[in-house]
Amino acid sequence: MKKIFTLLTFLTCVAAAFAADNYVFVDKQGNTIPAGTTITCSTAEVDDFGGVIVHSGLLLKNVDAPSNYQVTVDAKITRIDNGAVQLCFPTNCFSYSSVGTHGSGQKGTISQGQSKNIQTEWLPVAYGECIVEYTATYYQSVFKKGDYTITVHYKYADPTAIHTAAGAARVQPVQCYDMQGRQQSAAQRGLSVVRMSDGSVRKVFSSK
């Protein structure tokens, strides 16, 4: 009897070890981001209000959770040089600007097989970095059934601060123009077009 009990316990542990996660984070192409992974996001865009935004592109997917499961999403900020982190779940958007674990605590539902854009973004006001651990925790009623965590490393760097191989000349801006094509002495606040010393042309956003 003891041997049978031991065998059943072993099989239960094995089954739990190989059980699929009910909820996972995926990218815009639907690819699953493995739990424990750190991804780097460094593409900065100008938003509708003239500010800078660095998207993670994360979506939360219900793989096969039953309809009576609910899920929350938390953002644990371990580094934020400036600005704020935005998280939208389950319906409202919230901004956080300090190190610590943040989240509304509100539970939401996602239909089985569907994904929800949770708009996890960093809104920097200057160059720097931000590191956030995102955790989806899912429940059956009040009972926790599991969680899934990944890390996003946001970076917002000066696009003109580019160096070639050691000892080589630094690639630097030589001409600046505003968005109306007027030449400037240097990149101004907002969006500028910059011609580099290697002949390339870049759009540069400056918050200063």
Side-chain angles (χ1 to χ4, degrees), residues 41-143:
C41 300
S42 57
T43 301
E45 301 177 5
V46 179
D47 64 19
D48 295 336
F49 304 99
V52 176
I53 187 167
V54 182
H55 298 280
S56 72
L58 288 181
L59 294 91
L60 181 61
K61 181 177 181 179
N62 177 348
V63 179
D64 58 3
S67 59
N68 63 340
Y69 274 31
Q70 293 183 304
V71 60
T72 62
V73 179
D74 291 329
K76 180 181 179 182
I77 302 174
T78 58
R79 172 178 177 175
I80 182 165
D81 292 348
N82 59 76
V85 171
Q86 179 172 268
L87 169 63
C88 299
F89 191 85
T91 54
N92 298 323
C93 293
F94 302 88
S95 294
Y96 309 105
S97 57
S98 61
V99 170
T101 301
H102 309 279
S104 68
Q106 298 174 353
K107 297 177 182 177
T109 58
I110 303 173
S111 300
Q112 194 173 92
Q114 299 299 305
S115 300
K116 178 177 175 60
N117 187 348
I118 54 177
Q119 298 181 25
T120 47
E121 304 157 345
W122 178 38
L123 310 173
V125 295
Y127 300 128
E129 299 181 28
C130 177
I131 301 175
V132 187
E133 295 178 4
Y134 293 104
T135 299
T137 305
Y138 43 100
Y139 302 82
Q140 183 180 28
S141 184
V142 296
F143 302 103

